[in-house]
Amino acid sequence: MTGYRRLFRQFILRAWVRQRVRTLVAVVGIALGVAVMLAIRLANTSITGSFRTAVESVAGDTSLQITGLTGRFHELLLERLKWLRDFGTVSPVIESYVMFVGGGRTAPAGELVHPMDRGELLHLLGVDVLEDLPIRHYRLLRTSRKQRDPTPVELLRILTDPNAVILTDRFARRHGLEIGVPVTLAFGSTRKDLVVRGLLLDEGPARAMDGNFALMDIAAAQWACGRLGVLDRIDLKLRPGVDADAAVGEIRRRLPQGLVVQLPSQRYGRTEMMVAAFYFNLTALSAIAMVVGMFLIYNTTAMSVMARREEIGMLQAVGSGRRAVLTLFLGEALLLSIVGTGLGLLLGRWFATWTVVATAKTVETFYIAQAAELSAKGLSLGWTEIAMAVGLALPLSLIAAAIPAWEAAAIEPVEVVRGAGRLLQSFRPPRKHLAIAAALLAGGWGLTQFGPVAGRPVFGFVAELLFMLAGAWCVPAVLWLLCRFTRGPLASWWRRGKVECRLAGSNLQGAIPRISVAVAALAVSLAMMVAISVMVASFRDTVTYWLDCTLRADLWVKPTMLSSSVMEARMDPAAVATIREDRDVVSTSWYSARQIPYGEAALRLATTELEQLLAHGRLLIKAPAETMDAVRHSLKPESVLISESLSLKYKKQPGDSIELPTADGLRPFPVAAVYYDYASNQGTVLMDSATYARHFASTDPSPAPSSMAIHLRPGVDAETVRGRLIRAVGDRQELYFVTNDNVRREAMRIFDNTFTITYALELIAIIVAGLGVISTLITLIYQRKREVALLTLLGATARQLRRMVVIEAVLIAAVSQLIGIAVGILLAVVLIYVINVQSFGWTIQFHLPVAFLVHSTVLILAASAVCGLYPAVRAAQIDALQTVREE
């Protein structure tokens, strides 16, 4: 072992010092791959974990929850549920989100508010405090400036005041609030003035959402939220000794029709399902960085073997043995991986913090988004993440280095002494490479025909990997063709660089067996960049067309707090009436939405006046392939429209029925049409208001609009009407009015934010592979020192040598870009028509961004030429006489 350590230090570590750039590139490649994968995992674990913690802290000691089939149910059912007390403690609950207005930085009423500039959102819980105390632990810091830790009776006295609210001490300190201070909260669009009557310590429910929690009496919460006579759920804490499974079975058997029993964990389970596909896709994309890292490990080891053939031959000649050579190079790969993994662990947490903030803009629910941003403060690497990084990086590095290490062990000393094994003077790629590429392409195409696995496009991503490998196997053939082109037609056309072109083409053609992997690494990275760029451009073009078809109104209005398609916030009826009575308003179409359970998932149930909505053309119909008027006339009294994502996920088409939970139990509704919806991938059922009233009136008697489209008289200035409506609704309404142009700009801003992280992933892969080009050229020059020296002695100038190496760099980049574009377009097709459809239920129209591809090709070729300057200078500095003497 001592001899091995000495040999490793002399043979490997000293070479690292001499080839610092190549070593650094390999380490950085592994580090970035590990860091990106860790960042995605930490972001995923942190966001879903934060949401789970928040739900559990609000749930307290709740064992079971009773809810309606549609979510809410009438409080009169409590009389029929008295028998639940035989199982344990029962507490009815009202739950909602409200926006803190007073004391925060808010815009004037009606102004367009950026989502990050609005008032803070709070999780509101309305309970009967005496019944709820055994389930949730509330510890009040104080209820006045002198009194501390009040009794339950005193707590009840506080909450019987309909204007009383209890906040958390953490939230109060953040906003400088005190006991007795009035605060303004927005319930939907309506501002209500309440008084802070107590502050909760950082325990139990007060820990939810970093202290953004408010507590009210259940009756006051019903009034403030506009839910008089309605409950969200009943929380049940089982008595000690009661078996939960047996209790669930007994309770389910005795519950009245329209009520269901569930575990508290099912609530965050549904939300985790919503974000699972999103993070699975990010994890798959981040794995590309690890693949590039493996290419670089292979490349580094292969180049190390190529540059030290003489030394390896000498080791073999003095009797070191093939096993020693094999373990030396595997040890080099292992040490590179250890160093890179360690650096990746350090970078991983920093990347994760940025990833959480970036993906919070993309994730659907407000609760998840805010929990994500708060969780970014406490991200930390655990032993699980460390074990995952080590368990992936080290074996993959050894696998990547195994082939070149075995080639090194197979070197014969006699070949080295005779000078064999130098770079080939000519090379013709074997046809079997193209046969393998064709087989991989066929296999990838076959996998795209399979459906998702547990809602995730597993086969789609495996197909992407096969397509990338197919591109890698095409590298030798494409590189050979381009070298032939450079030596022939290009050299004839560019007379001033004729000699340099022929030399560069000949040099690279002889080095194809050694540099193919490095070129493939760059091609894979560029293919990923092209694929994501084409997918994003196609999606953006599709969304633009969708907005053009659906945004037909002059003005739009919705509550300021409504920031997510799965969040519920409604407009005050008085504000709606004020808008409709304006002299310049010709008509309005409104939209209201709520969440309902659907099997193990949740859907968005939206209601509107379908006739009015279709008349203004605010929907883009996918199926049936008929005109809007035909769809409108074919509607039946019980018909519903469904979004494309719901149609694809649950295999529903026009003519089918979808069974929805109503106040009277499950009921089938005929599907009249499927429409495109890029605002949410959750799945939406769109129902006429008359149909909604027949089936949901008991829990939602008069659904107020969540948003409204306002159509004005022709020739009227929208900004003038907007200003007048803002003044008319008054400062008691938390609404913002926005013109059509502003809606489009905001929609595209959100779209661009959504894909920020994908741009970062592709940039990292490109940087890593680009550094690999520099490493490859430096190693090739080291291997060709004798040829470069002879060229110098024959009269080649330093300028000609530099130009020759820069041409080689551009040729490597050109081959990578050619393959990258071809494979990238293929990957984009799979992303658009397979992965996106299976993950999100969105059909995107393919759009090729020709201008972007042209610009990126020019920039990449230019950047490669610049990167080639460093090895070019190194080549020009070779001492010809000294090199010939050594030979």
Coordinates of all heavy atoms in Angstrom, one line a residue, residues 799-880:
R799 N 1.7 32.7 -35.5 CA 0.4 33.1 -35.9 C -0.3 31.9 -36.6 O -1.5 31.7 -36.3 CB 0.5 34.3 -36.8 CG -0.9 34.8 -37.3 CD -0.7 36.0 -38.1 NE -2.0 36.5 -38.6 CZ -2.2 37.5 -39.4 NH1 -1.1 38.2 -39.8 NH2 -3.4 37.9 -39.7
Q800 N 0.4 31.2 -37.4 CA -0.2 30.1 -38.1 C -0.6 28.9 -37.2 O -1.6 28.3 -37.3 CB 0.8 29.5 -39.2 CG 0.9 30.4 -40.4 CD 1.9 29.9 -41.4 OE1 3.0 29.5 -41.0 NE2 1.5 29.9 -42.7
L801 N 0.3 28.7 -36.2 CA 0.0 27.7 -35.2 C -1.3 28.1 -34.4 O -2.1 27.2 -34.1 CB 1.2 27.5 -34.2 CG 2.4 26.9 -34.9 CD1 3.6 26.8 -33.9 CD2 2.1 25.5 -35.4
R802 N -1.4 29.3 -34.0 CA -2.5 29.8 -33.2 C -3.8 29.6 -34.1 O -4.8 29.2 -33.6 CB -2.4 31.2 -32.8 CG -1.3 31.4 -31.6 CD -1.5 32.8 -31.0 NE -1.2 33.8 -32.0 CZ 0.0 34.4 -32.1 NH1 1.1 33.9 -31.4 NH2 0.2 35.4 -33.0
R803 N -3.7 30.0 -35.3 CA -4.9 29.9 -36.2 C -5.3 28.5 -36.4 O -6.5 28.2 -36.4 CB -4.5 30.6 -37.6 CG -5.7 30.6 -38.5 CD -5.3 31.2 -39.8 NE -5.0 32.6 -39.7 CZ -4.5 33.4 -40.7 NH1 -4.3 32.8 -41.9 NH2 -4.2 34.6 -40.5
M804 N -4.3 27.6 -36.5 CA -4.6 26.1 -36.7 C -5.4 25.6 -35.4 O -6.4 24.9 -35.6 CB -3.3 25.3 -36.8 CG -3.5 23.8 -36.9 SD -1.9 23.0 -36.8 CE -1.5 23.2 -35.1
V805 N -5.0 26.0 -34.2 CA -5.7 25.5 -33.0 C -7.0 26.1 -32.9 O -8.0 25.5 -32.5 CB -4.8 25.8 -31.8 CG1 -5.5 25.4 -30.5 CG2 -3.5 25.1 -31.9
V806 N -7.2 27.4 -33.2 CA -8.5 28.0 -33.2 C -9.5 27.4 -34.1 O -10.6 27.2 -33.8 CB -8.4 29.6 -33.4 CG1 -9.7 30.2 -33.6 CG2 -7.6 30.2 -32.3
I807 N -9.0 27.1 -35.3 CA -9.8 26.3 -36.3 C -10.3 25.0 -35.7 O -11.4 24.6 -35.9 CB -9.1 26.1 -37.7 CG1 -8.9 27.5 -38.3 CG2 -9.8 25.2 -38.6 CD1 -8.0 27.4 -39.6
E808 N -9.4 24.3 -35.1 CA -9.7 23.0 -34.4 C -10.8 23.3 -33.4 O -11.8 22.5 -33.3 CB -8.5 22.4 -33.8 CG -7.5 21.9 -34.8 CD -6.3 21.3 -34.1 OE1 -6.3 21.1 -32.8 OE2 -5.2 21.1 -34.8
A809 N -10.7 24.3 -32.6 CA -11.7 24.6 -31.6 C -13.1 24.9 -32.3 O -14.1 24.4 -31.8 CB -11.3 25.8 -30.8
V810 N -13.1 25.7 -33.4 CA -14.3 26.0 -34.1 C -14.9 24.7 -34.7 O -16.1 24.5 -34.7 CB -14.1 27.1 -35.1 CG1 -15.3 27.3 -36.0 CG2 -13.7 28.4 -34.5
L811 N -14.0 23.8 -35.2 CA -14.6 22.6 -35.8 C -15.2 21.7 -34.7 O -16.3 21.1 -34.9 CB -13.4 21.8 -36.4 CG -12.9 22.3 -37.7 CD1 -11.7 21.5 -38.2 CD2 -14.0 22.2 -38.8
I812 N -14.6 21.6 -33.5 CA -15.2 20.9 -32.4 C -16.6 21.5 -32.1 O -17.6 20.8 -31.9 CB -14.3 20.9 -31.2 CG1 -13.1 20.0 -31.5 CG2 -15.0 20.4 -29.9 CD1 -12.0 20.1 -30.4
A813 N -16.7 22.8 -32.0 CA -17.9 23.5 -31.6 C -19.0 23.3 -32.7 O -20.1 23.1 -32.5 CB -17.7 25.0 -31.4
A814 N -18.5 23.3 -34.0 CA -19.4 23.2 -35.1 C -20.1 21.8 -35.1 O -21.3 21.7 -35.3 CB -18.7 23.4 -36.4
V815 N -19.3 20.8 -34.9 CA -19.8 19.4 -34.9 C -20.8 19.3 -33.7 O -21.9 18.7 -33.8 CB -18.7 18.4 -34.7 CG1 -19.2 17.0 -34.4 CG2 -17.8 18.4 -36.0
S816 N -20.4 19.8 -32.6 CA -21.3 19.8 -31.4 C -22.6 20.5 -31.6 O -23.7 20.1 -31.3 CB -20.6 20.4 -30.2 OG -19.4 19.7 -29.9
Q817 N -22.5 21.7 -32.3 CA -23.7 22.4 -32.6 C -24.6 21.8 -33.6 O -25.8 21.7 -33.5 CB -23.3 23.9 -33.0 CG -24.5 24.8 -33.3 CD -25.2 25.2 -32.0 OE1 -24.9 24.7 -30.9 NE2 -26.1 26.1 -32.1
L818 N -24.0 21.2 -34.6 CA -24.8 20.5 -35.6 C -25.6 19.3 -35.0 O -26.8 19.2 -35.2 CB -23.9 19.9 -36.7 CG -23.4 20.9 -37.8 CD1 -22.4 20.3 -38.7 CD2 -24.6 21.5 -38.6
I819 N -24.9 18.5 -34.2 CA -25.5 17.4 -33.6 C -26.5 17.9 -32.5 O -27.6 17.3 -32.3 CB -24.5 16.4 -33.0 CG1 -23.7 15.8 -34.1 CG2 -25.2 15.3 -32.1 CD1 -22.6 14.9 -33.6
G820 N -26.1 18.9 -31.8 CA -26.9 19.5 -30.7 C -28.2 20.0 -31.3 O -29.3 19.8 -30.7
I821 N -28.2 20.7 -32.4 CA -29.5 21.2 -33.0 C -30.4 20.0 -33.5 O -31.6 20.0 -33.2 CB -29.2 22.1 -34.2 CG1 -28.6 23.4 -33.7 CG2 -30.4 22.4 -35.0 CD1 -28.1 24.4 -34.7
A822 N -29.8 19.0 -34.1 CA -30.6 17.9 -34.6 C -31.2 17.1 -33.5 O -32.4 16.8 -33.5 CB -29.7 17.0 -35.5
V823 N -30.3 16.8 -32.5 CA -30.8 16.0 -31.4 C -31.8 16.9 -30.5 O -32.8 16.4 -30.0 CB -29.7 15.4 -30.5 CG1 -30.2 14.7 -29.3 CG2 -28.8 14.5 -31.4
G824 N -31.4 18.1 -30.4 CA -32.2 19.0 -29.5 C -33.6 19.2 -30.1 O -34.6 19.2 -29.3
I825 N -33.8 19.3 -31.4 CA -35.1 19.4 -32.0 C -35.9 18.1 -31.7 O -37.1 18.1 -31.4 CB -35.1 19.7 -33.5 CG1 -34.5 21.1 -33.7 CG2 -36.4 19.5 -34.2 CD1 -34.2 21.4 -35.2
L826 N -35.2 17.0 -31.8 CA -35.8 15.7 -31.5 C -36.3 15.6 -30.0 O -37.4 15.2 -29.7 CB -34.9 14.5 -31.8 CG -35.4 13.1 -31.8 CD1 -36.6 13.0 -32.8 CD2 -34.3 12.1 -32.1
L827 N -35.4 16.1 -29.1 CA -35.7 16.1 -27.7 C -36.9 17.0 -27.5 O -37.8 16.8 -26.6 CB -34.5 16.6 -26.9 CG -33.3 15.7 -26.9 CD1 -32.2 16.3 -26.0 CD2 -33.6 14.3 -26.5
A828 N -36.9 18.2 -28.2 CA -38.0 19.1 -28.0 C -39.4 18.5 -28.4 O -40.4 18.8 -27.7 CB -37.8 20.4 -28.8
V829 N -39.4 17.7 -29.5 CA -40.6 17.1 -29.9 C -41.1 16.1 -28.8 O -42.3 16.1 -28.5 CB -40.4 16.3 -31.2 CG1 -41.6 15.4 -31.5 CG2 -40.1 17.2 -32.3
V830 N -40.2 15.4 -28.1 CA -40.6 14.5 -27.0 C -41.1 15.3 -25.8 O -42.1 15.0 -25.2 CB -39.5 13.6 -26.7 CG1 -39.8 12.7 -25.5 CG2 -39.0 12.7 -27.8
L831 N -40.4 16.4 -25.5 CA -40.8 17.3 -24.4 C -42.2 17.9 -24.7 O -43.0 17.9 -23.7 CB -39.8 18.5 -24.3 CG -38.5 18.2 -23.5 CD1 -37.6 19.4 -23.6 CD2 -38.8 17.9 -22.0
I832 N -42.5 18.3 -25.9 CA -43.7 18.9 -26.2 C -44.9 18.0 -26.3 O -45.9 18.2 -25.7 CB -43.6 19.8 -27.5 CG1 -42.7 21.0 -27.3 CG2 -45.0 20.2 -28.0 CD1 -42.3 21.7 -28.5
Y833 N -44.7 16.9 -27.0 CA -45.8 16.0 -27.3 C -45.9 14.8 -26.4 O -46.9 14.1 -26.5 CB -45.7 15.5 -28.8 CG -45.9 16.6 -29.8 CD1 -44.8 17.0 -30.6 CD2 -47.1 17.2 -29.9 CE1 -44.9 18.1 -31.5 CE2 -47.2 18.3 -30.8 CZ -46.2 18.7 -31.6 OH -46.3 19.7 -32.5
V834 N -44.9 14.5 -25.6 CA -45.0 13.4 -24.6 C -44.9 13.9 -23.2 O -45.8 13.7 -22.4 CB -43.8 12.4 -25.0 CG1 -43.9 11.2 -24.0 CG2 -44.0 11.9 -26.4
I835 N -43.7 14.5 -22.8 CA -43.5 14.8 -21.4 C -44.4 15.8 -20.9 O -45.0 15.7 -19.8 CB -42.0 15.2 -21.3 CG1 -41.1 14.0 -21.5 CG2 -41.8 15.7 -19.9 CD1 -39.6 14.3 -21.5
N836 N -44.6 16.9 -21.6 CA -45.5 18.0 -21.2 C -47.0 17.5 -21.1 O -47.7 17.8 -20.2 CB -45.4 19.2 -22.1 CG -44.4 20.2 -21.6 OD1 -44.4 20.7 -20.4 ND2 -43.4 20.5 -22.4
V837 N -47.4 16.7 -22.1 CA -48.7 16.2 -22.1 C -49.0 15.3 -20.9 O -50.0 15.4 -20.2 CB -49.0 15.5 -23.4 CG1 -50.4 14.8 -23.4 CG2 -49.0 16.5 -24.6
Q838 N -48.0 14.4 -20.7 CA -48.2 13.4 -19.6 C -48.0 14.1 -18.2 O -48.7 13.6 -17.2 CB -47.2 12.3 -19.7 CG -47.4 11.4 -21.0 CD -46.5 10.3 -21.1 OE1 -45.6 10.0 -20.2 NE2 -46.6 9.5 -22.2
S839 N -47.2 15.1 -18.1 CA -47.0 15.8 -16.8 C -48.0 16.8 -16.5 O -48.5 16.8 -15.3 CB -45.6 16.4 -16.8 OG -44.6 15.5 -16.9
F840 N -48.4 17.6 -17.4 CA -49.2 18.8 -17.1 C -50.5 18.8 -17.9 O -51.4 19.6 -17.6 CB -48.5 20.1 -17.5 CG -47.1 20.2 -16.8 CD1 -46.0 20.1 -17.5 CD2 -47.1 20.2 -15.4 CE1 -44.7 20.2 -16.8 CE2 -45.8 20.3 -14.7 CZ -44.7 20.3 -15.5
G841 N -50.7 17.9 -18.9 CA -51.9 17.9 -19.7 C -52.1 19.1 -20.6 O -53.2 19.6 -20.9
W842 N -51.0 19.6 -21.1 CA -51.0 20.8 -22.0 C -50.5 20.3 -23.4 O -49.5 19.7 -23.6 CB -50.1 21.9 -21.5 CG -50.6 22.6 -20.4 CD1 -51.9 22.9 -20.1 CD2 -49.8 23.3 -19.3 NE1 -52.0 23.6 -18.9 CE2 -50.7 23.9 -18.5 CE3 -48.5 23.4 -19.1 CZ2 -50.3 24.6 -17.3 CZ3 -48.0 24.1 -18.0 CH2 -49.0 24.7 -17.1
T843 N -51.3 20.7 -24.4 CA -50.9 20.5 -25.8 C -50.3 21.8 -26.3 O -50.9 22.9 -26.3 CB -52.1 20.2 -26.7 OG1 -52.6 18.9 -26.2 CG2 -51.7 20.0 -28.1
I844 N -49.0 21.7 -26.7 CA -48.3 22.9 -27.1 C -48.1 22.8 -28.6 O -47.7 21.7 -29.2 CB -46.9 23.0 -26.4 CG1 -47.2 23.1 -24.9 CG2 -46.2 24.3 -26.9 CD1 -45.9 23.0 -24.1
Q845 N -48.3 23.9 -29.3 CA -48.0 23.9 -30.8 C -46.5 24.1 -31.0 O -45.9 25.0 -30.5 CB -48.8 25.0 -31.4 CG -50.3 25.0 -31.2 CD -50.9 23.6 -31.7 OE1 -50.6 23.2 -32.8 NE2 -51.8 23.1 -30.8
F846 N -45.9 23.2 -31.9 CA -44.5 23.3 -32.1 C -44.1 24.5 -32.9 O -44.8 24.9 -33.9 CB -44.1 22.0 -32.9 CG -42.6 21.9 -33.1 CD1 -41.8 21.3 -32.1 CD2 -41.9 22.4 -34.2 CE1 -40.5 21.1 -32.3 CE2 -40.6 22.3 -34.4 CZ -39.9 21.7 -33.4
H847 N -43.1 25.2 -32.4 CA -42.6 26.4 -33.0 C -41.1 26.4 -33.0 O -40.5 26.3 -31.9 CB -43.2 27.7 -32.3 CG -42.5 29.0 -32.7 ND1 -42.8 29.5 -34.0 CD2 -41.7 29.8 -32.1 CE1 -42.1 30.6 -34.1 NE2 -41.4 30.8 -33.0
L848 N -40.5 26.5 -34.1 CA -39.0 26.5 -34.2 C -38.5 27.9 -34.2 O -38.7 28.7 -35.1 CB -38.6 25.8 -35.5 CG -37.1 25.4 -35.6 CD1 -36.7 24.4 -34.5 CD2 -36.7 24.9 -36.9
P849 N -37.7 28.3 -33.1 CA -37.2 29.7 -33.1 C -35.9 29.8 -33.9 O -34.8 29.7 -33.4 CB -36.8 29.8 -31.6 CG -36.6 28.4 -31.1 CD -37.4 27.5 -31.9
V850 N -36.1 30.0 -35.2 CA -35.0 30.0 -36.1 C -34.0 31.1 -35.8 O -32.8 30.8 -35.8 CB -35.5 30.1 -37.6 CG1 -34.3 30.2 -38.6 CG2 -36.4 29.0 -38.0
A851 N -34.5 32.2 -35.5 CA -33.6 33.4 -35.2 C -32.7 33.0 -34.0 O -31.5 33.3 -34.0 CB -34.4 34.6 -35.0
F852 N -33.3 32.5 -33.0 CA -32.5 32.1 -31.8 C -31.5 31.1 -32.1 O -30.3 31.2 -31.6 CB -33.4 31.6 -30.7 CG -32.7 31.0 -29.5 CD1 -32.2 31.8 -28.5 CD2 -32.6 29.6 -29.4 CE1 -31.5 31.2 -27.5 CE2 -31.9 29.0 -28.4 CZ -31.3 29.8 -27.4
L853 N -31.8 30.1 -32.9 CA -30.8 29.0 -33.2 C -29.7 29.6 -34.0 O -28.5 29.2 -33.8 CB -31.5 27.9 -34.0 CG -32.6 27.1 -33.2 CD1 -33.2 26.0 -34.1 CD2 -32.0 26.4 -32.0
V854 N -30.0 30.5 -35.0 CA -28.9 31.1 -35.7 C -28.0 32.0 -34.8 O -26.8 31.8 -34.9 CB -29.5 32.0 -36.9 CG1 -28.4 32.8 -37.5 CG2 -30.2 31.1 -37.9
H855 N -28.6 32.8 -34.0 CA -27.8 33.6 -33.1 C -27.0 32.7 -32.1 O -25.8 33.0 -31.9 CB -28.7 34.5 -32.3 CG -29.4 35.5 -33.1 ND1 -30.6 36.2 -32.7 CD2 -29.2 36.0 -34.3 CE1 -31.0 37.0 -33.6 NE2 -30.1 37.0 -34.6
S856 N -27.6 31.7 -31.6 CA -26.9 30.9 -30.6 C -25.7 30.1 -31.3 O -24.6 30.0 -30.7 CB -27.8 29.8 -30.0 OG -28.3 28.9 -30.9
T857 N -25.9 29.7 -32.6 CA -24.8 29.0 -33.3 C -23.7 30.0 -33.5 O -22.5 29.6 -33.3 CB -25.4 28.5 -34.7 OG1 -26.4 27.6 -34.4 CG2 -24.3 27.9 -35.4
V858 N -24.0 31.2 -33.9 CA -22.9 32.2 -34.1 C -22.1 32.5 -32.8 O -20.9 32.5 -32.8 CB -23.5 33.5 -34.7 CG1 -22.4 34.6 -34.8 CG2 -24.0 33.2 -36.1
L859 N -22.9 32.6 -31.7 CA -22.3 32.9 -30.4 C -21.4 31.8 -30.0 O -20.3 32.0 -29.4 CB -23.4 33.3 -29.4 CG -24.0 34.6 -29.6 CD1 -25.2 34.8 -28.6 CD2 -23.0 35.8 -29.4
I860 N -21.9 30.5 -30.1 CA -21.2 29.4 -29.7 C -19.9 29.2 -30.5 O -18.8 28.9 -29.9 CB -22.1 28.1 -29.7 CG1 -23.1 28.2 -28.6 CG2 -21.2 26.8 -29.6 CD1 -24.2 27.1 -28.7
L861 N -20.0 29.4 -31.8 CA -18.7 29.3 -32.6 C -17.7 30.4 -32.2 O -16.5 30.1 -32.1 CB -19.1 29.4 -34.1 CG -19.9 28.3 -34.6 CD1 -20.2 28.5 -36.1 CD2 -19.2 26.9 -34.5
A862 N -18.2 31.6 -31.9 CA -17.4 32.7 -31.5 C -16.7 32.4 -30.2 O -15.6 32.6 -29.9 CB -18.1 34.0 -31.5
A863 N -17.6 31.9 -29.3 CA -17.1 31.6 -27.9 C -16.1 30.5 -27.9 O -15.1 30.5 -27.2 CB -18.3 31.3 -27.0
S864 N -16.3 29.5 -28.8 CA -15.3 28.4 -28.9 C -14.0 28.9 -29.5 O -12.9 28.5 -29.1 CB -15.9 27.3 -29.8 OG -17.1 26.8 -29.3
A865 N -14.1 29.8 -30.4 CA -12.8 30.4 -31.0 C -12.1 31.2 -29.9 O -10.8 31.0 -29.8 CB -13.2 31.4 -32.1
V866 N -12.8 31.9 -29.1 CA -12.1 32.6 -27.9 C -11.5 31.6 -27.0 O -10.4 31.8 -26.5 CB -13.1 33.5 -27.2 CG1 -12.5 34.1 -26.0 CG2 -13.6 34.6 -28.2
C867 N -12.3 30.5 -26.6 CA -11.8 29.5 -25.7 C -10.6 28.8 -26.3 O -9.7 28.4 -25.6 CB -12.9 28.5 -25.4 SG -14.3 29.1 -24.4
G868 N -10.5 28.7 -27.6 CA -9.4 28.1 -28.2 C -8.1 28.9 -28.2 O -7.0 28.4 -28.5
L869 N -8.2 30.2 -27.9 CA -7.0 31.1 -27.8 C -6.0 30.6 -26.8 O -4.8 30.7 -27.1 CB -7.4 32.5 -27.6 CG -8.2 33.2 -28.7 CD1 -8.6 34.6 -28.3 CD2 -7.2 33.3 -30.0
Y870 N -6.5 30.2 -25.6 CA -5.6 29.8 -24.6 C -4.7 28.6 -25.0 O -3.5 28.6 -25.0 CB -6.3 29.5 -23.3 CG -5.4 28.9 -22.2 CD1 -4.5 29.8 -21.6 CD2 -5.5 27.6 -21.8 CE1 -3.7 29.3 -20.6 CE2 -4.7 27.1 -20.8 CZ -3.8 27.9 -20.2 OH -3.0 27.4 -19.2
P871 N -5.3 27.5 -25.4 CA -4.5 26.4 -25.9 C -3.7 26.7 -27.2 O -2.6 26.2 -27.4 CB -5.5 25.2 -26.2 CG -6.8 25.9 -26.3 CD -6.7 27.1 -25.4
A872 N -4.2 27.7 -28.0 CA -3.5 28.1 -29.2 C -2.2 28.8 -28.8 O -1.1 28.6 -29.4 CB -4.3 29.0 -30.0
V873 N -2.2 29.7 -27.8 CA -1.0 30.3 -27.3 C -0.1 29.3 -26.7 O 1.2 29.4 -26.9 CB -1.4 31.4 -26.2 CG1 -0.2 32.0 -25.5 CG2 -2.2 32.5 -26.9
R874 N -0.6 28.3 -26.0 CA 0.2 27.3 -25.4 C 1.0 26.5 -26.5 O 2.2 26.2 -26.4 CB -0.6 26.3 -24.6 CG -1.2 26.8 -23.3 CD -0.1 26.7 -22.2 NE 0.3 25.4 -21.9 CZ -0.3 24.6 -21.1 NH1 -1.4 25.0 -20.4 NH2 0.1 23.4 -20.8
A875 N 0.3 26.3 -27.6 CA 0.9 25.6 -28.8 C 2.0 26.4 -29.4 O 3.1 25.9 -29.8 CB -0.1 25.2 -29.8
A876 N 1.8 27.7 -29.5 CA 2.8 28.6 -30.1 C 4.0 28.8 -29.3 O 5.1 29.2 -29.8 CB 2.1 30.0 -30.4
Q877 N 3.9 28.5 -28.0 CA 5.0 28.7 -27.1 C 5.9 27.4 -26.9 O 6.8 27.4 -26.1 CB 4.5 29.1 -25.7 CG 3.8 30.5 -25.7 CD 3.2 30.8 -24.3 OE1 3.0 30.0 -23.5 NE2 2.9 32.1 -24.1
I878 N 5.6 26.4 -27.6 CA 6.4 25.1 -27.5 C 7.8 25.4 -28.0 O 8.0 25.9 -29.1 CB 5.7 24.0 -28.2 CG1 4.4 23.6 -27.5 CG2 6.6 22.8 -28.4 CD1 3.6 22.5 -28.3
D879 N 8.8 25.0 -27.2 CA 10.2 25.1 -27.6 C 10.5 24.0 -28.6 O 10.6 22.8 -28.2 CB 11.1 25.1 -26.4 CG 12.5 25.4 -26.7 OD1 13.0 25.1 -27.9 OD2 13.2 25.9 -25.8
A880 N 10.7 24.3 -29.9 CA 10.8 23.2 -30.9 C 12.1 22.5 -30.7 O 12.2 21.2 -30.8 CB 10.8 23.9 -32.3

